[in-house]
Amino acid sequence: MAGPTVAAALERRRNGFTGLRLALALAVVVSHAFSVATGAAGDEPLARLTGYTLGEHAVNGFFAVSGFLVTMSCDRRGIRDYALARTLRILPGFVAATLLVSLGLGAAMTRLPLAEYLRDPGLWSFLRGTLTTFKSNAALPGVFEANPYRAPLGTIWTLKYEVLCYLGVLVAALCGLLRRWIPALLIVAALAVALTAAIALRGPDLPKGLETALRLPLIFSAGAGLYLWRDRLRVSGGALACLVVAAVILAKTPAYPALLFLAEAYGAVWLALGPMARRLFDPKADLSYGIYLYGWPIQQSLHALWPEPSGFALLAPALALTLPVAVLSWYGIERPALALKARALGRRRIGTIEPAGP
């Protein structure tokens, strides 16, 4: 039996987007347990099986959900509302995390005397680079020097791609393309063909940066397309199975990554709107952004303090520390910022469906 259309599924009172984002954020923390201690993300079993780590798959899911919800937000609310919502959802939490990690955690973890740390040009260079370009590989002076990775905010690199995708949606709205489904189809097809061609030409020598620059916009565009095609596409387990089977059959070909990413984009929306949505945990607080921002620096700190245990052995305490910090981030920074948006637009209520960047 065919499932409902995406449009019909959206009309239901309950969906699983918030719970799915929480699960994806936790998956990123689990994935980093393998790389924080060794510096080798390829050690993760899923990387050997699929070619991508659990964290990369989780980021793919984030971008698919973001593409779907952000496009819906812009389509339903208009450009002014959209621009304000995106700014207040991303920037306050990001700025707060940057300041807390650099001036708080960094000051506590550095081997330098506090006065010397605060005077060090590297600290202020870190702040400038992080806040202006989402630079994620910068180190703080005297911090995490013995860790395989020195960066204290190693996950924020994805926010650069997220913001670029937001701008793409804004441009599409200004050009009147959100009311049409063909341009989205052409964009998804072009990105899929470009990724496949790049892999066919370069193979294993394809730079990771180029692969990422094609992968994340492709998945975001696929999520956006699923919203724009909502009246035509159905939430179908059979369709998802076909995409997965196609990816498995073509696993040794250059077409595999594009098929895999399209399957993940559709799968994320299927999880949030399909039969599984009723089983997903639907928290009132959207902790995914806080977990994503603070999971890495907390794992880095634990490894710096106790380098002998494996990263996986430190996973439980990392989660135990990250979750309360994410709660504080939501109730202390992110939710009040959304309330500012609601007041600015003359509304009384806010919801948790606003997606934050991965």
Side-chain angles (χ1 to χ4, degrees), residues 74-351:
C74 190
D75 178 49
R76 291 184 174 182
R77 299 180 177 183
I79 292 173
R80 182 176 69 97
D81 188 330
Y82 169 79
L84 185 60
R86 295 299 88 226
T87 301
L88 291 177
R89 187 66 186 99
I90 290 290
L91 283 185
F94 166 65
V95 171
T98 302
L99 295 176
L100 287 170
V101 167
S102 57
L103 300 178
L105 181 65
M109 296 295 296
T110 183
R111 62 170 177 76
L112 303 176
L114 180 58
E116 185 178 340
Y117 174 77
L118 294 176
R119 288 196 304 267
D120 195 295
L123 169 62
W124 306 106
S125 175
F126 174 88
L127 282 168
R128 285 193 303 271
T130 303
L131 292 174
T132 57
T133 63
F134 302 107
K135 191 174 182 180
S136 62
N137 60 353
L140 287 169
V143 178
F144 303 146
E145 289 181 325
N147 285 14
Y149 296 110
R150 288 199 57 197
L153 283 171
T155 59
I156 63 167
W157 63 271
T158 62
L159 296 181
K160 172 178 62 179
Y161 292 99
E162 186 85 5
V163 170
L164 290 173
C165 289
Y166 291 169
L167 292 174
V169 172
L170 181 62
V171 171
L174 290 170
C175 296
L177 300 180
L178 295 188
R179 301 293 179 179
R180 305 173 185 176
W181 63 274
I182 292 180
L185 178 62
L186 294 176
I187 291 171
V188 171
L191 288 169
V193 170
L195 177 61
T196 302
I199 294 172
L201 291 172
R202 300 292 298 272
D205 296 327
L206 180 68
K208 188 66 175 179
L210 177 58
E211 188 265 356
T212 301
L214 293 170
R215 169 172 65 99
L216 296 184
L218 168 60
I219 297 169
F220 186 96
S221 299
L226 288 170
Y227 171 74
L228 296 176
W229 309 326
R230 62 194 179 279
D231 293 320
R232 296 173 174 83
L233 294 182
R234 293 187 176 274
V235 182
S236 167
L240 175 59
C242 289
L243 286 170
V244 172
V245 169
V248 171
I249 292 174
L250 297 175
K252 301 298 183 181
T253 73
Y256 164 71
L259 279 172
L260 174 67
F261 302 151
L262 292 175
E264 289 182 322
Y266 186 87
V269 175
W270 179 83
L271 281 172
L273 295 178
M276 292 293 293
R278 298 184 182 89
R279 299 181 179 89
L280 282 174
F281 175 54
D282 187 25
K284 298 298 182 184
D286 186 355
L287 305 183
S288 58
Y289 193 31
I291 291 171
Y292 193 80
L293 288 172
Y294 293 101
W296 176 269
I298 287 173
Q299 286 177 294
Q300 284 277 74
S301 300
L302 289 174
H303 181 67
L305 293 171
W306 295 285
E308 292 82 11
S310 67
F312 205 73
L314 294 174
L315 177 59
L319 289 173
L321 290 171
T322 301
L323 285 170
V325 174
V327 170
L328 291 173
S329 176
W330 170 251
Y331 284 107
I333 298 164
E334 299 166 53
R335 195 172 190 276
L338 291 176
L340 285 176
K341 182 203 75 172
R343 286 197 293 270
L345 296 169
R347 295 175 183 159
R348 295 182 179 180
R349 298 181 60 189
I350 62 172

